[in-house]
């Protein structure tokens, strides 16, 4: 009986002890930073840990100037005049979809800032969840044990 209990305790410890959790505070409005630090850095960090047999859980809080990368209907927003963003939108969406599929990332957007910028919920991608504020999201995830990673 003791041996079975010890095996169970070890199995549970391995299942939960090997999870790396981080929350990305995504505020950058610079596409080059998005491409290198977000689309480059987040997957390489996740891959580093998964290659070592650890699980990875990733949450992303979107606010600041990063809203524009998560708007599906640019023409309905202030970003509709940004020709470079419109040209990059398909590439950005493809990278977001690939990251979401591979890493099961949770994406949350600050609703308070969305409203200030005139962005409606129907104008953002359906896989992004509006939350009351970025601070609420950051506090929530960090209190759940997620390490803070800024991408500004």
């Amino acid at each position: 009986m003791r041996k079975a209990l010890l095996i169970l305790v070890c199995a549970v410890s391995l299942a939960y002890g090997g999870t790396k959790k981080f929350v990305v505070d995504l505020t950058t409005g610079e596409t080059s930073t998005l491409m290198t630090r977000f689309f480059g850095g987040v997957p390489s960090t996740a891959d580093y840990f998964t290659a070592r047999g650890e699980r990875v859980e990733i949450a992303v809080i979107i606010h600041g100037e990063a809203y524009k990368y998560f708007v599906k209907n640019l023409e309905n927003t202030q970003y509709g005049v940004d020709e470079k963003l419109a040209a990059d939108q398909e590439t950005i969406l493809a990278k977001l979809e690939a990251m979401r599929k591979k890493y099961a990332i949770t994406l949350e957007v600050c609703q308070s800032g969305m409203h200030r910028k005139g962005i409606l919920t129907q104008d953002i991608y359906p896989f992004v969840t509006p939350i009351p504020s970025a601070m609420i999201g950051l506090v929530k995830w960090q209190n759940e044990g997620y390490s803070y990673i800024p991408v500004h």
Side-chain angles (χ1 to χ4, degrees), residues 15-88:
Y16 291 101
T19 301
K20 300 298 185 219
K21 303 185 293 186
F22 58 97
V23 58
V24 178
D25 181 12
L26 184 61
T27 62
T28 188
E30 296 294 325
T31 303
S32 61
T33 301
L34 181 77
M35 294 299 181
T36 58
R37 296 203 50 226
F38 184 68
F39 289 130
V42 171
S44 67
T45 301
D47 291 343
Y48 173 86
F49 292 113
T50 57
R52 285 153 182 75
E54 298 181 85
R55 291 182 62 241
V56 175
E57 295 178 12
I58 306 166
V60 180
I61 304 299
I62 304 149
H63 61 120
E65 296 303 315
Y67 292 108
K68 65 185 177 183
Y69 303 119
F70 298 87
V71 172
K72 66 179 176 183
N73 299 317
L74 293 174
E75 62 280 352
N76 293 345
T77 70
Q78 65 185 2
Y79 306 117
V81 297
D82 189 336
E83 293 177 12
K84 174 80 170 106
L85 179 60
D88 292 340

Side-chain angles (χ1 to χ4, degrees), residues 114-130:
M114 278 176 50
H115 290 167
R116 281 194 309 275
K117 291 186 176 283
I119 302 169
L120 303 175
T121 302
Q122 62 263 27
D123 292 326
I124 62 172
Y125 293 124
F127 53 81
V128 180
T129 304

